[in-house]
Amino acid sequence: MIPPQSDQSLLSNCDAVRPILVRIGDKWSVLIVMALRDGPRRFNQIRRDIGSISQRMLTLTLRGMERDGLVSRKVYPTTPPRVEYALTDLGQSLRGPVEALGGWAIAHEPQIVAAQARYDAENG
């Protein structure tokens, strides 16, 4: 059981984890975790799997995830060099929460669409 915290302690903890939540909550990071869930992929394979991500955004997101310890980058000494990305153990530990969130979204999508339609009808 998690012990109760004061409001100040809770806010302090929120400030401490904010950068982490920004990274793992980013839509591209979530899609990259799912693209790498079955094993290493090359850059263009990841890009094809995701579909709508630009080369620049994929590069920036992979670098950030590598910096955060979620993704590893391995360069093979071939001509041209072959580079593969894979989830680290830490990145693999993120699969469960990401898959659970995706499952929740799929299960509740009809309710959300209905709520959006009601809101739009009431608020023009």
Side-chain angles (χ1 to χ4, degrees):
M1 182 167 178
I2 299 173
Q5 297 179 353
S6 69
D7 287 344
Q8 187 60 40
S9 174
L10 190 58
L11 287 175
S12 177
N13 286 340
C14 288
D15 286 343
V17 299
R18 182 173 293 142
I20 298 167
L21 294 175
V22 167
R23 165 70 60 218
I24 63 173
D26 171 81
K27 74 175 179 178
W28 300 123
S29 297
V30 168
L31 292 173
I32 289 169
V33 167
M34 295 311 295
L36 296 175
R37 73 183 178 272
D38 294 326
R41 297 276 189 276
R42 293 177 72 173
F43 184 91
N44 284 326
Q45 289 173 308
I46 299 168
R47 191 165 175 206
R48 278 191 301 273
D49 289 346
I50 292 174
S52 59
I53 190 169
S54 71
Q55 181 172 335
R56 175 172 164 66
M57 184 54 65
L58 181 55
T59 299
L60 291 173
T61 306
L62 284 167
R63 280 185 191 156
M65 292 178 76
E66 184 180 10
R67 181 175 181 261
D68 292 343
L70 301 171
V71 169
S72 64
R73 179 178 181 269
K74 185 172 183 180
V75 180
Y76 293 90
T78 60
T79 304
R82 190 178 97 211
V83 179
E84 285 186 344
Y85 296 89
L87 291 175
T88 62
D89 289 343
L90 184 60
Q92 285 287 349
S93 74
L94 188 54
R95 278 184 59 191
V98 166
E99 290 171 354
L101 186 58
W104 180 91
I106 290 167
H108 294 89
E109 188 260 348
Q111 294 167 283
I112 293 169
V113 169
Q116 291 169 341
R118 278 192 309 274
Y119 179 90
D120 292 347
E122 293 171 5
N123 297 290

